[in-house]
Amino acid sequence: MTPPMVDGLRTMELGSPGEMRAGLNGLVLAGRKTATAGLVNQHEDEAEQTEQVGERLALVDDSRTRVGVVVVDRVERRRLADVDWSFAQDEGEGFTSLEHWRQAHRDYWASVGYQVTDASEVELIWFHLEQGLDTLAIHAGQEPDPATGAVNVPIYATSTYAQDGVGVMRTGLGVGYDYSRSGNPTRTALQDCVAALEAGSSGFAFASGMAAEDTLIRALLQPGDHVVIPDDAYGGTYRLFARVLARWGIRFTPAPLDDLAAVAAAVEEDTRLVWAETPTNPLLTVADITALADLAHRGGARLVVDNTFATPVLQQPLRLGADVVLHSTTKYLGGHSDVVGGALVVDDDEVAAALEFHQNAMGAVNGPFDAFLTLRGIKTLGVRMQRHCDNAEAIVRVLAEHPRVTQVLYPGLAGNRGHDVAVRQMSRFGAMISFRVAGGADAAAQVCSRTRLFTLAESLGGVESLIELPGQMTHASVQGSPLEVPGDLVRLSVGIESTDDLVDDVRWALSE
Ligand SMILES: Cc1ncc(COP(=O)(O)O)c(C=O)c1O
């Protein structure tokens, strides 16, 4: 019997060994049940198709009303005797031992007419509840505090944790903590939230974006290894490779990431990472993430994508084939220019283990106060990004027509190199705009000093609008290098103020 469809999706029926039946969907919705077991011969008798990895299934109640959607992460067939305790825990139904799990399942299957033995084949399905990005931003990793019910994750301002015996951690929050460099519940919440937003399995939060970069590179590379970096990378990334890591034997080659042949030519036998920013800071170059991932993987390298400018609201690099996503959470994720931080997200247990080890061993962790502020910022990421984009588009329209502007760099402009790729991989084009001013660096500097609402300042991604001259400010560190940026380039980080006020400010700054 083929199970009925709901909203065009096959349905997910959760069998249950006991009294849990009525509450099973609730366990899934609360994130406590992330796996389920089916009897293979039962499927075959009922001619059911087995679930496929990546398949979306409607979770239905007894009256076949959809109460959620789940996505299948992993499917395995095992003998009943080979099901292990970690699966029994993922089933989330309160089993107290593996034998309890086995007996309950034998009894359940017997009650629906199937005798099972230790040799019976069972299908194990792991899944997660699908939720929209705005829901994840507010809830992922942020269950109400189990001790008090506090709706917001508390700032766990503690360096150490009482242990219940020598080496016996308290597990009231699900995991045990012993020292806040190794783990802190406020940081855990931020890490889980960022991982969910980027569709990864593990997240790591650091003291700054640069600390995230350094930890990633030292976790994955050895002296002698080689990295391809963007030829217009963020100045601090270039400085890290050129002036710090080069002394420790990491080699690098800058390449234009929007030219795949040039990237391929830059890849060497020892290339372990292709490092992408897209769009880049400050030239807004767009790199094709899927194509770069293919190219990197063919050469035995991993693809890192710095997603600081786009954020997961506009683009999710792991879904496009990247191996690691990096953020300066100082920017849009924090969103209020009140905290510095960085994050890494991966969907690979081996890389996650290396990052976890190095995060603790190197120690550049995000503190609990900073994690709290960043989490608070993330809650409004979705609505902020839409407003940022609305304002940026209005300003781009003014710049594109202005006689003093010689070039506008914005991935959303049809004429821009990279526009077609941006249309494919981004949902909108972000709120960073660069433009060149007729009359050279002095004229550009004059524009920067005339705005009233746009504040002349480094950084980006906050609710307030900022203007800067990259050649003399954020990118001064790449002057004289292959990454030098034009002196007449002005960069805007468009905030979420009223659109007309921002447009008027830009017009005023450009008026002679
Ligand atoms: C694209 C990009 N990546 C990384 C960083 C470094 O982040 P942080 O300043 O948080 O160390 C920045 C900072 O401006 C950036 O713009």
Side-chain angles (χ1 to χ4, degrees), residues 388-401:
H388 278 298
C389 291
D390 291 345
N391 282 351
E393 287 166 13
I395 289 171
V396 163
R397 283 194 289 276
V398 171
L399 293 173
E401 306 272 287

Side-chain angles (χ1 to χ4, degrees), residues 45-263:
D45 283 0
E46 296 180 356
E48 272 184 28
Q49 273 171 274
T50 51
E51 283 70 18
Q52 305 295 316
V53 172
E55 185 176 4
R56 298 171 70 236
L57 299 156
L59 181 68
V60 291
D61 67 9
D62 287 343
S63 66
R64 304 243 144 243
T65 304
R66 172 176 134 177
V67 293
V69 172
V70 298
V71 183
V72 177
D73 295 321
R74 185 149 60 103
V75 181
E76 279 179 26
R77 285 190 175 194
R78 288 194 208 158
R79 292 179 336 135
L80 187 69
D82 296 333
V83 173
D84 58 23
W85 180 227
S86 87
F87 176 82
Q89 285 171 306
D90 291 344
E91 263 215 317
E93 295 175 39
F95 302 110
T96 51
S97 67
L98 197 48
E99 195 35 52
H100 181 198
W101 182 90
R102 288 213 178 98
Q103 194 54 50
H105 281 72
R106 279 194 205 102
D107 293 348
Y108 168 67
W109 282 316
S111 75
V112 290
Y114 293 87
Q115 295 307 319
V116 296
T117 68
D118 275 358
S120 300
E121 225 188 332
V122 290
E123 187 173 76
L124 309 183
I125 300 166
W126 284 265
F127 56 81
H128 69 270
L129 185 68
E130 184 179 80
Q131 289 178 320
L133 207 102
D134 291 325
T135 305
L136 293 172
I138 294 166
H139 295 287
Q142 302 167 77
E143 283 296 302
D145 182 52
T148 61
V151 166
N152 285 301
V153 176
I155 301 170
Y156 282 90
T158 187
S159 58
T160 191
Y161 305 81
Q163 302 188 16
D164 288 337
V166 177
V168 183
M169 312 304 159
R170 233 167 252 188
T171 52
L173 293 171
V175 275
Y177 291 93
D178 58 359
Y179 184 59
S180 273
R181 169 160 44 72
S182 318
N184 176 285
T186 321
R187 190 173 92 221
T188 303
L190 171 62
Q191 297 185 151
D192 290 352
C193 182
V194 177
L197 294 181
E198 285 290 5
S201 51
S202 309
F204 302 90
F206 298 88
S208 68
M210 294 314 304
E213 295 189 16
D214 185 32
T215 307
L216 170 68
I217 292 160
R218 288 202 265 167
L220 297 186
L221 302 185
Q222 309 280 347
D225 286 348
H226 175 260
V227 183
V228 178
I229 67 166
D231 68 353
D232 59 346
Y234 163 61
T237 301
Y238 176 76
R239 183 175 53 199
L240 178 67
F241 279 104
R243 304 205 23 212
V244 180
L245 295 163
R247 289 193 290 122
W248 302 94
I250 304 291
R251 298 173 308 106
F252 69 97
T253 306
L257 295 192
D258 56 349
D259 177 349
L260 291 173
V263 179

